[in-house]
Amino acid sequence: MATKDINTADSAFETRTIDQIVDVIATSAPEIRTGLPGRRVASEAENPSGETQMAADVFADELLCDRLGALDGVGEYASEERPESIDVGTGSLSVAVDPLDGSSNLKPNNTMGTIFAVYDAPLPARGHDIIAAGYVLYGPVMTMIIARGGTVDEFVIYDDASYELVREDITLPDDASVYGFGGRVPNWTEEFEAFARDIESDPSRKLRYGGSMIGDVNQILTYGGIFSYPALESAPEGKLRVQFEGYPIGYVLETAGGASSDGTKSLLDVDKPDLHARTPLHIGNASLISKLESALD
């Protein structure tokens, strides 16, 4: 009986912490967005993946680190912009963040977003350690997708940092109508190129690719279809990071009734202990992901 009481208390505290993390992400989003116009320039540093950081990347990372790290239930924070995770408290939950996914889109003023995952384990964690994940999309309307407790919900975030639930229990449409494939075509493997050409040959599907992964993912969640950033001849591990992009996006899509894959298995089953490890990423309707895995086998 005592053990049950302790577990119930732990579960309630964990739930409150997730609520607080979501609130920090949502209420910080307008400030991040407002801070973009003056930070559309490269900083003098590179992130751990060797990419030149934009001033906006650093700004968003520092803001989220300070605010998420101040929560009692959060013990560890990591971001795509930092070489290692940092201890921010004594809480049991870890938060991994891509503070500004698609920041290269700042110059042409295209879509970008913030991705986060909450892990009930130290970082680097496994995909099945995720207990909540989601993203903010800085589009014409600022929206937030949250996957937790077996459901995916969408919120609109307003400029005053308030936010409102607008769609509950989102599932991928059965009519898979869009597709988007990343990477340079000459660097695609023969198997993936053959699969891509087959998908493109269906006149009922439309190409939707904007160069910001989170924007492309949101297209799939909205309309159904498939998005891939595949293994390349020049980059067999792909481009996207497991902890910051692969796991959270896989978790969101699978919670919404879709599927994810690294080409052979669910993204949540990928096991790479490096905090900044990369993975090929494929997400979408289960039938298309199954077809993709068969094509790459």
Side-chain angles (χ1 to χ4, degrees):
M1 188 62 147
T3 301
K4 182 178 180 180
D5 290 341
I6 291 171
N7 289 340
T8 300
D10 288 347
S11 178
F13 181 71
E14 185 177 274
T15 298
R16 287 196 301 274
T17 301
I18 295 172
D19 289 342
Q20 292 169 342
I21 291 168
V22 169
D23 187 67
V24 165
I25 298 290
T27 57
S28 299
E31 190 170 344
I32 292 173
R33 189 181 198 179
T34 301
L36 296 179
R39 296 179 171 87
R40 299 171 68 190
V41 296
S43 71
E44 297 180 355
E46 291 185 345
N47 68 19
S49 298
E51 300 165 340
T52 300
Q53 292 175 312
M54 302 295 288
D57 289 314
V58 178
F59 167 68
D61 176 42
E62 291 177 349
L63 186 150
L64 291 172
C65 181
D66 288 345
R67 295 181 180 177
L68 292 170
L71 300 177
D72 290 341
V74 176
E76 198 173 356
Y77 173 89
S79 94
E80 197 172 290
E81 306 306 323
R82 298 171 182 256
E84 299 176 347
S85 62
I86 60 171
D87 293 331
V88 292
T90 59
S92 60
L93 301 185
S94 303
V95 183
V97 173
D98 183 349
L100 203 57
D101 179 76
S103 58
S104 62
N105 275 352
L106 273 168
K107 186 174 182 179
N109 193 28
N110 287 336
T111 302
M112 63 201 73
T114 295
I115 307 172
F116 75 95
V118 184
Y119 296 93
D120 190 14
L123 298 172
R126 298 175 299 112
H128 291 286
D129 292 321
I130 287 185
I131 54 176
Y135 57 85
V136 173
L137 188 66
Y138 305 110
V141 178
M142 192 159 35
T143 56
M144 176 174 64
I145 294 291
I146 301 295
R148 60 182 295 190
T151 63
V152 178
D153 299 322
E154 181 182 36
F155 298 80
V156 168
I157 304 174
Y158 299 102
D159 291 341
D160 64 359
S162 64
Y163 51 103
E164 176 185 13
L165 179 65
V166 293
R167 284 200 297 163
E168 295 183 82
D169 200 11
I170 298 170
T171 56
L172 263 68
D174 292 332
D175 181 17
S177 61
V178 302
Y179 66 91
F181 302 133
R184 293 188 68 248
V185 175
N187 291 334
W188 284 354
T189 64
E190 291 183 6
E191 295 80 5
F192 182 78
E193 182 171 3
F195 170 78
R197 300 307 175 218
D198 181 49
I199 294 296
E200 293 169 348
S201 69
D202 186 336
S204 70
R205 297 195 182 104
K206 299 176 182 179
L207 172 63
R208 291 290 185 269
Y209 184 76
S212 168
M213 189 270 293
I214 201 59
D216 298 324
V217 166
N218 204 59
Q219 292 269 10
I220 303 304
L221 190 61
T222 303
Y223 297 114
I226 184 169
F227 169 77
S228 296
Y229 201 105
L232 304 175
E233 295 287 1
S234 58
E237 298 301 310
K239 173 187 176 183
L240 303 174
R241 290 76 172 176
V242 177
Q243 295 284 320
F244 306 106
E245 294 158 322
Y247 288 158
I249 295 308
Y251 182 84
V252 170
L253 267 291
E254 292 190 20
T255 304
S260 74
S261 178
D262 70 345
T264 61
K265 59 186 176 298
S266 165
L267 288 169
L268 300 180
D269 290 329
V270 171
D271 186 10
K272 295 184 177 181
D274 182 354
L275 184 65
H276 292 279
R278 300 174 187 262
T279 182
L281 181 147
H282 312 274
I283 56 95
N285 289 74
S287 59
L288 291 175
I289 296 301
S290 177
K291 185 175 183 178
L292 169 117
E293 290 182 340
S294 295
L296 299 185
D297 187 8

